[in-house]
Amino acid sequence: MNGNVRPVGLVSVVMPARNAELTIATQLAALRRQTYPDLWELIVVENGSSDGTRALLRSWQQSMPQLRVVDVAGACGVNRARNIGCRCAHGDFVLCCDADDVVAPGWMAGLVDVLRTSPAVGGALERRLLNARVALAARPPKEADALLDTFGFLPYPAGANCGFHKELWSRLGGFDESYRYGSDDVEFFWRAQLAGYRLAFSPHAVVHYRLRGDARAIARQLYRYGRSHPKLYQDFAGHGMPSSRPGDVARAWWRMLVHAPDLVGSADGRAAWMAQFALRVGRIVGSARYRRCYL
């Protein structure tokens, strides 16, 4: 065997779940259909649900022997849930997915194959299958042929579709739990690269990604994302993360001004406008909170 190719033992899949009663069964069924032929376990971190998620998971344990449920007392941020799952993982390779998405049949095999030679990997996010037109208007699909690169600094995979060696997670001290919502995945994989670890992309590891279903929910999510961006800048400006460019900010606000009539137009146009407005307002609030200007 090539010394650069890492042997695979047990693979651990970590999935946080909170109030996922309406979607998690579809994801569990998709995980059960994986083409990956070797041993794997699924750790669902039940993150303070108030719906029927716990009962549903108990029923699935009867027919899915790979499934382990870790119950967290009270709701916590997604990074704490991921850290709890990683601590409970028995495998050398850890894969992460979300309870409201649907992994394609070759997802696990695609990530594991790349992890044989790379310490961390991201897969492709497909947005069309699970989402209605309004959601796609607010968050248009992108080419799923590379890692994400939103900030013009370092690429990163989405936490909804990634994998890494557990040893890497341990050496980095886990996910930063101060990132409770938004940029939680970005921070971890940027820190990995700055520590000298190489990231890779697997086009064969596809996750059908579920967006929020209506304009208000999408706006709330984009607001939280925007609010976290100045924290990223606070933590990584010293490593080379560029500031937001005044010209780009001005153009973004000008476009919103020009398209303000969309608020009384079609549902698609309203959702797209609200998403961009919420993101920018979130950045303003985050800039004030973290005292670092990233607009």
Side-chain angles (χ1 to χ4, degrees):
M1 178 180 290
N2 187 322
N4 293 324
V5 178
R6 186 162 177 160
V8 182
L10 178 70
V11 172
S12 299
V13 179
V14 171
M15 183 169 70
R18 184 169 189 267
N19 293 335
E21 181 182 12
L22 298 180
T23 59
I24 196 169
T26 305
Q27 180 69 299
L28 292 172
L31 286 164
R32 198 160 57 180
R33 290 193 297 268
Q34 291 297 292
T35 59
Y36 181 68
D38 297 320
L39 292 174
W40 58 277
E41 64 174 356
L42 170 61
I43 302 161
V44 176
V45 182
E46 207 299 300
N47 190 4
S49 294
S50 58
D51 64 358
T53 300
R54 285 188 182 87
L56 189 60
L57 287 169
R58 284 195 295 269
S59 69
W60 271 83
Q61 283 183 297
Q62 298 174 17
S63 60
M64 195 174 186
Q66 305 99 323
L67 172 59
R68 287 196 287 140
V69 179
V70 179
D71 210 341
V72 178
C76 66
V78 65
N79 272 354
R80 181 170 177 238
R82 289 182 183 134
N83 283 337
I84 290 170
C86 288
R87 280 194 288 271
C88 295
H90 295 148
D92 291 331
F93 292 177
V94 178
L95 315 182
C96 293
C97 61
D98 286 345
D100 56 347
D101 299 327
V102 178
V103 294
W107 172 74
M108 193 180 301
L111 292 181
V112 169
D113 186 55
V114 175
L115 285 175
R116 293 173 185 269
T117 55
S118 297
V121 60
L125 297 181
E126 186 284 315
R127 297 189 181 188
R128 290 184 172 87
L129 181 66
L130 301 179
N131 300 297
R133 193 176 68 182
V134 168
L136 294 175
R139 299 188 63 186
K142 301 175 183 177
E143 292 297 325
D145 58 357
L147 295 172
L148 301 170
D149 186 12
T150 306
F151 303 94
F153 177 43
L154 294 170
Y156 59 93
N161 187 2
C162 65
F164 42 86
H165 297 172
K166 187 174 180 181
E167 178 185 16
L168 165 61
W169 170 84
S170 180
R171 287 186 176 182
L172 292 177
F175 290 89
D176 186 338
E177 295 181 13
S178 69
Y179 285 81
R180 292 180 59 85
Y181 193 101
S183 303
D184 40 86
D185 39 13
V186 183
E187 189 279 337
F188 178 80
F189 289 106
W190 281 4
R191 197 154 35 93
Q193 290 169 89
L194 292 171
Y197 294 94
R198 181 175 61 88
L199 270 60
F201 177 73
S202 174
H204 306 296
V206 177
V207 166
H208 301 292
Y209 187 65
R210 192 186 305 273
L211 302 170
R212 298 296 187 269
D214 62 82
R216 290 183 181 275
I218 294 167
R220 283 194 297 270
Q221 184 182 48
L222 269 292
Y223 169 79
R224 291 171 179 171
Y225 285 171
R227 193 175 59 187
S228 74
H229 294 169
K231 179 170 173 56
L232 269 183
Y233 186 60
Q234 179 187 61
D235 291 346
F236 291 96
H239 298 284
M241 178 183 174
S243 63
S244 52
R245 293 183 291 187
D248 291 341
V249 175
R251 281 188 289 273
W253 282 101
W254 175 251
R255 283 194 299 270
M256 284 187 283
L257 179 63
V258 169
H259 290 280
D262 291 348
L263 283 170
V264 293
S266 69
D268 294 3
R270 184 164 57 252
W273 194 95
M274 289 175 63
Q276 288 305 307
F277 180 75
L279 177 72
R280 295 292 167 175
V281 171
R283 285 186 174 186
I284 292 172
V285 172
S287 293
R289 178 177 181 181
Y290 297 109
R291 300 183 180 182
R292 294 301 298 267
C293 183
Y294 191 88
L295 302 176

